[in-house]
Amino acid sequence: MKKLTLIIAAVAIGFIMTSCGNKEKELMQNATEFYTQAETELKAIENYEGFVTYFQAFKQKFKDFTATYSNMKLSQETQQFLSDKANAFKALETQKAGELVTPYLEQMEKTFNISNFLNILLTEDDNNAEQKFRKFFGITPEASKEEAKKALMTTIGVDPSASEEECAKALENWTNTKLGFAFNPNASDEEIDKIIKNWASSMGIDPNASKEEAEKAIESQISKNKETLDSFVKSYEEIKEILPEELKGRCEQLKNSINENI
């Protein structure tokens, strides 16, 4: 009788062990399917807005999936399998985030620079174009030409030994990238004024309008840009945990600049 009891107990234990093993195999299969589907969805995303929407939805899906085995006692092998799957997918998310966030961030940096410059045009009483640019680049009116040049070269990333021609070209490229118009430092005030007016026209600001009308148009543009930038800050907060560190640093810097200046 005792032998029979032991046999029954052994069979029961074997059944339980087999059952647990089957459940873990099933869990690993479910995990493979879960991450395969997530990877397919991730690869299909083509823009920043789509990534933000995807990431918000995936966080909930991931939470729901992990809840399916939160009360299971898993073997070390299964735990390692799940951890490897999660880490591998997180790496893919980070890579995708870098691809999609970078061009959008560059666009937001440009939008911020434009708003900052428009604000200077709106509030700066001095009609001298050079003084407006000094203010934009954070160069004091009292700084000498040489001091102003050194500060400018640092901002646009030009070597101090660069020639005048190289500096001028670098500034044109920098302003074109950051503001949307190519500023030639050797141009006359009249030529610079024309460049800025053409740039303003491209944003729907009539350069021939009265001062009051122009100011309203500039204020409207700044307001639109602020909405766009505020939206960026909000969405960035949603996805910052997955961003590469360098990219996160740039986003943080822009966020702080927006909060301080716009």
Side-chain angles (χ1 to χ4, degrees):
M1 186 69 179
K2 288 184 179 180
K3 182 181 288 188
L4 179 61
T5 302
L6 289 174
I7 292 173
I8 293 173
V11 171
I13 291 172
F15 176 78
I16 292 172
M17 293 298 292
T18 302
S19 177
C20 289
N22 288 338
K23 285 185 178 180
E24 291 198 40
K25 287 181 181 179
E26 182 181 350
L27 173 58
M28 287 191 283
Q29 180 61 37
N30 290 342
T32 299
E33 293 174 358
F34 174 77
Y35 285 112
T36 297
Q37 178 62 33
E39 184 175 343
T40 300
E41 294 174 359
L42 181 64
K43 288 180 177 179
I45 302 169
E46 298 181 344
N47 53 51
Y48 173 82
E49 291 83 357
F51 182 80
V52 173
T53 300
Y54 150 82
F55 189 71
Q56 291 172 329
F58 179 76
K59 286 173 70 174
Q60 184 59 50
K61 288 181 181 179
F62 179 75
K63 184 178 179 180
D64 293 342
F65 173 67
T66 55
T68 64
Y69 61 87
S70 60
N71 294 323
M72 290 176 63
K73 188 174 182 180
L74 303 176
S75 67
Q76 184 64 38
E77 179 186 359
T78 301
Q79 291 181 45
Q80 188 63 53
F81 178 86
L82 294 172
S83 177
D84 289 345
K85 282 288 185 182
N87 290 336
F89 186 72
K90 186 176 181 180
L92 289 176
E93 281 187 312
T94 298
Q95 180 182 351
K96 189 72 172 184
E99 294 172 1
L100 297 177
V101 175
T102 297
Y104 188 78
L105 175 60
E106 290 172 350
Q107 180 185 339
M108 292 301 99
E109 289 171 335
K110 185 174 181 179
T111 298
F112 169 76
N113 286 328
I114 288 173
S115 287
N116 195 22
F117 188 66
L118 283 173
N119 192 51
I120 289 173
L121 293 180
L122 185 66
T123 59
E124 182 62 58
D125 294 329
D126 188 355
N127 290 321
N128 185 287
E130 180 182 339
Q131 291 303 325
K132 292 182 185 294
F133 274 89
R134 278 178 174 247
K135 186 171 183 178
F136 176 74
F137 286 105
I139 303 170
T140 63
E142 297 78 20
S144 66
K145 290 279 187 181
E146 189 62 29
E147 290 171 333
K149 180 182 176 181
K150 287 182 179 180
L152 181 60
M153 290 172 74
T154 298
T155 299
I156 64 177
V158 178
D159 191 276
S161 62
S163 65
E164 290 288 340
E165 183 179 344
E166 289 172 328
C167 289
K169 188 63 179 175
L171 182 58
E172 281 191 86
N173 291 336
W174 192 93
T175 53
N176 193 38
T177 300
K178 303 294 184 179
L179 292 170
F181 66 89
F183 172 68
N184 181 356
N186 298 319
S188 65
D189 282 355
E190 291 77 14
E191 290 172 324
I192 293 173
D193 186 59
K194 183 178 180 180
I195 290 172
I196 294 177
K197 284 183 176 179
N198 289 337
W199 172 71
S201 294
S202 70
M203 291 188 293
I205 301 171
D206 184 1
N208 298 314
S210 66
K211 181 179 179 181
E212 183 179 32
E213 290 173 331
E215 287 178 349
K216 285 183 179 179
I218 291 175
E219 288 173 349
S220 176
Q221 186 63 45
I222 292 175
S223 179
K224 290 178 182 178
N225 288 352
K226 186 179 186 307
E227 289 180 7
T228 299
L229 293 169
D230 286 344
S231 177
F232 158 75
V233 171
K234 182 178 180 180
S235 61
Y236 158 66
E237 293 291 347
E238 296 283 347
I239 64 170
K240 67 180 182 181
E241 65 189 82
I242 202 67
L243 294 182
E245 285 304 314
E246 182 179 354
L247 202 55
K248 186 188 295 184
R250 282 179 61 188
C251 288
E252 283 291 330
Q253 184 177 10
L254 179 57
K255 182 185 76 172
N256 292 336
S257 296
I258 291 170
N259 291 336
E260 293 170 5
N261 298 288
I262 302 298

